Amino acid sequence: MEMHQGHRERLKKRFLEEGLDTFTDVQALELLLFYCIPRKDTNPLAHRLLEHFGSLSQVLEASVEDLKKVEGVGDHVATLLHLTTQMGRYYQVNRTEHSKILTTTEQCGQYLMPRFFGQCNEVVYLLCLDAKCKVLCCKKVGEGSINSAGIPIRRIVETALSMNATTVVLAHNHPSGLALPSGADIQTTRRISLALDAVEITLADHIIVADDDFVSLAQSGFYKPEDCCLQI
């Protein structure tokens, strides 16, 4: 017990003095596990988790159900690990909330990207703006598998109308790590644009996010919005 306690204090002190940059995946995970396993060596469990999932990022992105399949992982451990990525996304989104006026596609992309942090499946967000490019809301309107996301056109139109938006920006992620638009992405963008145009709302852009990068269909020439208040 005394040996473990000394190791814990050394690891905590090192983190406070140096941050996590010099830590290995095992050490970083071991440190995190201290806070839900107070009186036990967490190194073996950190190794088991990394061996099971393959990397620290995959451990933190795993579902509670999958985490609990690893020997030694109970409710508290699974909840803390799952919470970590969720809290990271919450933090990043919270940082962008002060940006209430978005006048360019680049600003919209930076505003939207944090919402996809740690997402393992494809999800779809709709950013609603008024005539002065003020943010009215940013809502998740669809979610799919790791390969495809359902983009419900009716829900998108209803959401935009309910917020009295004049302009909207659609965004979804590619968990595969490539932000390049597919043929289906381009076709869906045009269909949504036509549906919104029928109720006098402009689809300014469709942004595809992958990791820390994003691609604008408008900037890339795959889509040309009409009467758009945003600078492309």
Side-chain angles (χ1 to χ4, degrees):
M1 174 63 185
E2 289 183 4
M3 180 182 69
H4 294 327
Q5 186 60 35
H7 174 64
R8 284 173 178 252
E9 293 306 318
R10 286 191 296 273
L11 209 58
K12 290 177 185 177
K13 182 180 178 182
R14 180 180 161 196
F15 163 68
L16 292 173
E17 292 177 349
E18 303 175 10
L20 284 176
D21 290 346
T22 62
F23 277 52
T24 64
D25 285 0
V26 169
Q27 290 168 335
L29 187 52
E30 188 181 0
L31 176 63
L32 181 60
L33 291 171
F34 287 169
Y35 296 94
C36 54
I37 305 177
R39 299 181 183 86
K40 190 176 178 181
D41 183 9
T42 60
N43 184 274
L45 179 55
H47 276 285
R48 283 199 299 275
L49 283 162
L50 289 169
E51 288 169 5
H52 183 87
F53 292 103
S55 69
L56 180 58
S57 62
Q58 289 176 301
V59 171
L60 298 180
E61 290 170 2
S63 67
V64 169
E65 292 75 17
D66 286 341
L67 287 166
K68 290 171 71 173
K69 293 175 183 177
V70 177
E71 180 188 352
V73 176
D75 288 337
H76 291 310
V77 171
T79 300
L80 177 66
L81 294 175
H82 190 61
L83 171 65
T84 302
T85 302
Q86 299 287 326
M87 186 63 76
R89 179 161 59 250
Y90 189 94
Y91 160 73
Q92 291 194 38
V93 170
N94 190 263
R95 284 189 66 193
T96 67
E97 288 302 316
H98 68 280
S99 303
K100 295 299 182 182
I101 304 293
L102 305 174
T103 59
T104 69
T105 289
E106 183 68 26
Q107 289 174 349
C108 290
Q110 294 299 331
Y111 183 90
L112 286 159
M113 277 182 61
R115 285 157 174 79
F116 298 98
F117 175 77
Q119 294 280 13
C120 297
N121 292 331
E122 288 196 14
V123 291
V124 186
Y125 276 89
L126 187 70
L127 174 61
C128 295
L129 308 171
D130 68 10
K132 296 182 179 179
C133 293
K134 179 180 178 181
V135 176
L136 299 173
C137 76
C138 187
K139 292 186 176 181
K140 185 165 74 171
V141 292
E143 184 167 0
S145 69
I146 197 167
N147 297 315
S148 64
I151 302 183
I153 296 178
R154 179 173 178 174
R155 186 174 179 186
I156 288 169
V157 173
E158 289 176 346
T159 300
L161 284 171
S162 70
M163 296 307 300
N164 292 318
T166 59
T167 301
V168 299
V169 175
L170 189 69
H172 81 280
N173 61 323
H174 283 180
S176 62
L178 293 175
L180 295 176
S182 65
D185 292 333
I186 297 168
Q187 185 178 17
T188 300
T189 303
R190 292 170 180 161
R191 289 174 57 211
I192 293 171
S193 177
L194 289 172
L196 288 166
D197 186 58
V199 292
E200 300 182 338
I201 297 173
T202 299
L203 176 62
D205 205 349
H206 184 173
I207 289 172
I208 300 174
V209 176
D211 295 330
D212 57 352
D213 185 27
F214 71 87
V215 169
S216 154
L217 266 67
Q219 281 184 335
S220 303
F222 293 108
Y223 169 69
K224 185 178 180 180
E226 300 292 336
D227 301 322
C228 179
C229 69
L230 293 178
Q231 298 176 29
I232 304 302

